[in-house]
Amino acid sequence: MLKNSATYCNEITIGCVRKHAYGEDAFIKELISSRNTVFKLSEGDEDYHIVHDNLSDMAKVTSGLTYQKGAWFLNMLSNYIGEKAFHKGIRDYYHRFFNSNATTTDLRKAFELASGKDLSKFFGQWLYQGGYIKLKGNWMYDAKNKMVIIELQQVQPEQYIFNMPVEIGIRKGDSSKQQIEVIQLNKRKIKVSFPCQTSPVKVELDPGTKLLAQWDFSQSN
């Protein structure tokens, strides 16, 4: 049972209020701080997962990692299904289970109904297993074919399997705008390429701060 699902939803609501009150930069700063807290709390206990069977140990049910990772889970879910479907699912969930018991499955079904997506794998990888995404990779520019080539490898322990989209930001010249591409992390190692007419000055992972992940990513010589 996901005992604190309503609490997670409240944290996301607070985050949305902060975003509208103080702006996008303040919201992103808060997300980065929360993500770093997850990494720190996971040290030495990487196998901790939010949904577990040991409900007799309340320290595990209500740990700091539960709240921080749970809030990040919902942030990723909102990006995955879209804000409109996310808020529709939240309203449906509260309407049906206010002042009553609910399970993780109930929460998942509310979001599936709102989004029209099967979310069993999404919930499974973030709630029923431990760990988080760790990436190592590089990028290079193929001037002849005018392509940005990106190689990524998931380097977290192999028992933690993740299948997630990750945005790539490609910045060209002195433009403040980025060319945004999306890579699907569906294998341990992937290599992809994107058209780009000029050599980028910067290529970065997750420019919108949407993914619970750590990475070592740089330009290849």
Side-chain angles (χ1 to χ4, degrees):
M1 180 178 293
L2 186 55
K3 303 286 280 190
N4 293 311
S5 54
T7 302
Y8 302 152
C9 296
N10 286 339
E11 290 199 16
I12 290 297
T13 302
I14 292 170
C16 290
V17 170
R18 184 180 295 112
K19 179 178 180 180
H20 290 292
Y22 300 106
E24 182 75 16
D25 289 345
F27 181 65
I28 294 298
K29 184 177 179 180
E30 188 72 19
L31 283 176
I32 293 172
S33 176
S34 177
R35 184 166 63 184
N36 289 335
T37 298
V38 172
F39 300 154
K40 183 177 180 180
L41 293 176
S42 296
E43 293 177 2
D45 192 19
E46 195 164 343
D47 196 45
Y48 178 86
H49 42 95
I50 294 174
V51 178
H52 60 89
D53 297 327
N54 185 17
L55 295 180
S56 62
D57 187 349
M58 294 305 296
K60 290 186 176 181
V61 174
T62 58
S63 72
L65 187 54
T66 302
Y67 287 99
Q68 295 291 338
K69 191 172 182 180
W72 247 100
F73 159 74
L74 287 175
N75 181 65
M76 288 188 291
L77 178 62
S78 178
N79 286 309
Y80 188 74
I81 66 175
E83 286 191 11
K84 184 177 180 179
F86 179 80
H87 289 295
K88 182 179 179 181
I90 288 289
R91 289 193 297 268
D92 175 56
Y93 176 74
Y94 274 134
H95 176 73
R96 289 193 292 128
F97 298 106
F98 182 72
N99 283 339
S100 63
N101 294 324
T103 66
T104 306
T105 299
D106 293 323
L107 184 67
R108 174 174 59 82
K109 287 183 177 179
F111 285 119
E112 287 181 335
L113 184 63
S115 66
K117 293 184 177 182
D118 181 350
L119 299 173
S120 55
K121 289 184 178 179
F122 187 95
F123 271 62
Q125 64 189 346
W126 291 111
L127 298 182
Y128 293 89
Q129 71 170 14
Y132 52 86
I133 298 172
K134 296 181 181 180
L135 299 171
K136 185 175 179 60
N138 60 75
W139 69 274
M140 63 172 292
Y141 183 64
D142 180 349
K144 179 180 179 180
N145 296 303
K146 299 186 181 302
M147 303 287 285
V148 173
I149 301 171
I150 296 171
E151 295 186 16
L152 288 176
Q153 180 178 358
Q154 294 190 54
V155 295
Q156 74 273 0
E158 291 190 4
Q159 68 264 32
Y160 305 135
I161 300 171
F162 292 95
N163 187 331
M164 286 288 292
V166 55
E167 290 185 349
I168 306 293
I170 302 172
R171 194 180 300 277
K172 294 168 283 188
D174 58 0
S175 173
S176 60
K177 295 182 179 180
Q178 287 181 310
Q179 174 183 333
I180 302 295
E181 304 287 354
V182 179
I183 292 176
Q184 189 67 32
L185 295 175
N186 53 14
K187 295 183 290 187
R188 296 291 291 191
K189 294 182 179 181
I190 57 175
K191 182 177 182 179
V192 295
S193 57
F194 300 105
C196 188
Q197 292 303 307
T198 59
S199 178
V201 297
K202 185 178 183 181
V203 176
E204 62 179 320
L205 299 184
D206 191 32
T209 316
K210 298 179 179 180
L211 191 65
L212 184 59
Q214 282 182 318
W215 54 80
D216 177 3
F217 184 72
S218 59
Q219 184 175 3
S220 177
N221 296 325

